[in-house]
Amino acid sequence: MAQNSSNIPYDPLDTQPRVETPQLLTPDPVEFGPPRPGFFEAGSRSSVGSTLGVNARGSAYGSIAPLRSSQYGDNNSHELSPVGPTSERYRDDPTLPVGAAPPTANLTEKDQLYAAPRTKTKRKALFGCLIAGGCLLLVLAIVLPVYFLVIKPKSSSTTSTNTGSDGHSGGHASATASGEHPENTPGFVTSGGDGSIVTKDDGTTFVYNNSFGGFWVFDPANPLNESAQAQSWTKPLSQEWAWGTDKVYGVNLGGWLNLEPFISPALYEPFYPNAVDEWTLCEQIMQRDGNLNAIEEHYKTFIVEEDFAMIAAAGLNWLRIPIAFWAIEKYPNEPFLERVSWNYFLKAIEWARKYGLRINLDLHALPGSQNGWNHSGKLGKINFLAGVMGVANAQRALDHVRIFAEFISQPEYKNVVPFFGIINEPRSNSDSGYPVEAMQAWYAEAYRIIRNAGGTGAGNGPFISIHDAFYGMSQWTGFLSGADRLAMDHHPYLVFAVPLPGGPPSDFEAMPCGRWAGDFSNANSAFGVTTAGEWSHAINDCGLYVNAVGRGTRYEGTFETTTVLGSCDTWNDHTTWDQSTKDSLRQMSLSTMDALQNWFFWTWRIGESSRGRVEAPFWSYKLAVLEGWAPTDPRESVGQCQRLGQPTHSFTGPYQSWQIGGAGAGTVPSLDSYPWPPTAIGGFPDAAPLPQYTATGAINTLPVHIYTYSSAGAAATADVGDGWNNAADATPMAVPIADCTYPDQWDATAAAIPTCGVAGATTEAAPVAEPTPI
């Protein structure tokens, strides 16, 4: 529903955010007002600032300019780490009739809210001035917002400058600056609705287009303001999310802070075929450049502030942001860029708060690799809860869970990051994986850690989301019954079905309804809050690097099969798709949304290849909205399965009180049934002799973003927390035992067991040094 431009979207003098009555839906399809198409075009990002010669995004890595291989130099064919062995194929969606008992999962189809809790608000300062200065300031306070938000929405000043640091060198991400900030100039706009001008940190601007009644809010003197709304029907962050009533229409920011070859192919192409994952990519870039600046340049430009505004304009209200453990720390033998991605996650928090979006923090890569796939950091073997270093790697991962949980449980962040996916796609249910009992023990220990960090009951720490580990959602019914806000994550993909579907798009229009609607409804009833953390529009496995670097596709019979279903030429080039193809994909998109109910599309953006085009178009939501094979408003999906004559399976609630942090939450009689560490892990029925780390390391607290602003002519600093919620949580981090020689923590499935204080033989493997000091 379009917002009347004559209304002020947000009044800085009014503490109550404006909430419109949501539009009721009917089973009939309704076309809601789309976001302005120009907002999604590259040219529309040239702002008022760009007319003065200011480049809003001066990099060929970003959404305005395509990724180009020339940015990375010549191909370097030096071989460093060997590419891992061909892994089992992957399937994250057992296609079973509703109610049928799932068999062992087949994993052979993928290789590989408004109050600022502890800060002085601008509103409070303004009231002090009113008492001292009288009515004149009151008049100015009312007139200036009206003038700059309504009368002059497209003439925002671009002459001010901001010389503040972006904090990209690690440590505190500081907004402190010398000189005059844009926000300190007369008439600086701190909020706006459709058609308003947004001034970015660097002084450049862009036009905010949102026809759904959304509005942005950012007041540097009150950076924790939580009154922005993504759309009129989405609650501001200051209001509690109503699970069972409010719908999660989400998208992943995949490949941003945790790299994947098919999402950012131009980063990998110069090193073909040697860069197959982030590990080997970092090795190749370091060998070529002597630094990893290219990785940070990717962080800086692949996703920018405009993307957050566009996501709200597309009718989406949640983000799932994958991040890797090296945002916290790394060991010396790990080649990753340490801690830098965290600075950009802090930017994500700021932008999400500014545009009224909630974040699901997703821990996507764990030490040793939880699944052996390229998005876990290193393609190859599983060394998490499996192999000689399986327990030690899992210990280290629990510390990472704890550090993230302590940060997002702080009052300053708990409303913008109220959901924590503690592990992505752990491949427990496979021949090379680890027993379900080990997975359950790790989940139980992570639950204890997170609730210790944030507390129990709604508003105290995040929802804890566990992946079904490829056992199927129904297999987790009853697990930790009584647990406070424990959610289930499942990733339904048509493309990884067995056998691979090979029909035209029209064959898929209703398929998600029959495959998934009943299972998700049942899981929400039997387990509790259940979300689809990933899904896509892919109806085949075409796309550059979709099946990993250097491998072909099953669709063309060049990967793990010789059966040819068709050519990928058309599917890799969306400009060849006719209207009927887009219409069928759009119907499938609506069916999937309706079947899953609460979901996160994978992913928002696919980067261009070195040829200057998106070569995996099925996977880009941004492109799908722009080109018309995704709805411009996800609310159109409600009732889609019924409209297509499919059985209706919708969870309408309510959840049990304890499942959403109410009465009884945290009373978990079975918790003691899952001791840590587990008695058995992958490859070792008796885990007792395996090496462990010792809790003697310094706690690695994550930094906060420091906001410094001018108040009454003097510098002031907003209180944004210190990175740690529970001061009593002081257990040291688990680190290698001094003078103990450990096997390579990423390649220890067949290593000798070291002594290190436990029974077993010694090993000649190279030692793993202490973590890099911070």
Side-chain angles (χ1 to χ4, degrees), residues 187-341:
F188 175 74
V189 180
T190 59
S191 65
D194 188 28
S196 60
I197 301 293
V198 178
T199 302
K200 298 168 58 176
D201 288 347
D202 60 3
T204 62
T205 62
F206 66 89
V207 178
Y208 174 80
N209 293 319
N210 188 312
S211 60
F212 296 135
F215 58 92
W216 59 273
V217 178
F218 181 72
D219 181 356
N222 181 14
L224 304 183
N225 187 306
E226 295 177 338
S227 63
Q229 286 185 249
Q231 305 87 23
S232 63
W233 66 82
T234 297
K235 291 182 174 73
L237 304 183
S238 56
Q239 296 182 17
E240 185 177 353
W241 190 261
W243 292 98
T245 302
D246 297 332
K247 295 292 186 183
V248 173
Y249 298 140
V251 70
N252 283 269
L253 297 185
W256 179 29
L257 305 180
N258 185 81
L259 276 61
E260 296 193 37
F262 92 98
I263 297 177
S264 301
L267 270 172
Y268 288 81
E269 286 177 291
F271 308 110
Y272 181 87
N274 296 318
V276 297
D277 48 33
E278 192 158 348
W279 182 292
T280 51
L281 178 67
C282 288
E283 287 182 323
Q284 294 288 334
I285 292 175
M286 179 62 75
Q287 179 173 284
R288 185 195 66 192
D289 299 343
N291 58 61
L292 295 178
N293 293 346
I295 301 292
E296 182 169 9
E297 183 70 8
H298 169 81
Y299 296 157
K300 188 183 300 183
T301 58
F302 187 74
I303 297 293
V304 294
E305 181 174 347
E306 290 93 327
D307 288 297
F308 285 67
M310 290 180 187
I311 287 166
L316 305 175
N317 51 22
W318 276 75
L319 302 165
R320 182 173 179 257
I321 304 183
I323 199 165
F325 74 84
W326 51 90
I328 298 173
E329 54 90 29
K330 73 179 184 69
Y331 284 2
N333 67 329
E334 295 167 338
F336 307 114
L337 182 59
E338 183 178 26
R339 289 178 75 84
V340 177
S341 63

Side-chain angles (χ1 to χ4, degrees), residues 505 574-588 626-630:
H574 73 275
T575 64
T576 67
W577 297 358
D578 59 24
Q579 191 58 48
S580 64
T581 295
K582 294 181 180 181
D583 289 344
S584 290
L585 289 174
R586 187 177 185 278
Q587 290 300 308
M588 184 195 74
L626 178 65
E627 297 294 336
W629 67 85

Side-chain angles (χ1 to χ4, degrees), residues 439-449 479-480 670-671 674-675:
M439 190 78 261
Q440 291 171 330
W442 193 85
Y443 280 159
E445 185 67 5
Y447 174 84
R448 296 183 189 100
I449 287 170
F479 176 65
L480 296 186
S670 65
L671 189 59
Y674 304 101

Side-chain angles (χ1 to χ4, degrees), residues 3-14 18 122 140-157 186-199 206-208 214-219 227 354:
Q3 179 179 319
N4 189 328
S5 61
S6 65
N7 294 330
I8 300 175
Y10 166 70
D11 183 351
L13 296 178
D14 182 6
R18 179 179 60 83
K122 189 173 183 181
L140 291 176
I142 296 173
V143 171
L144 286 177
V146 173
Y147 177 72
F148 285 98
L149 291 176
V150 180
I151 300 174
K152 195 180 179 183
K154 301 196 178 193
S155 59
S156 175
S157 171
F188 175 74
V189 180
T190 59
S191 65
D194 188 28
S196 60
I197 301 293
V198 178
T199 302
F206 66 89
V207 178
Y208 174 80
F215 58 92
W216 59 273
V217 178
F218 181 72
D219 181 356
S227 63
K354 183 173 183 176

Side-chain angles (χ1 to χ4, degrees), residues 378-402:
K378 189 175 185 181
L379 178 67
K381 300 174 182 177
I382 299 173
N383 285 274
F384 169 86
L385 289 178
V388 172
M389 292 297 290
V391 174
N393 280 326
Q395 282 181 298
R396 186 179 171 203
L398 286 171
D399 270 335
H400 300 148
V401 166
R402 173 186 174 212

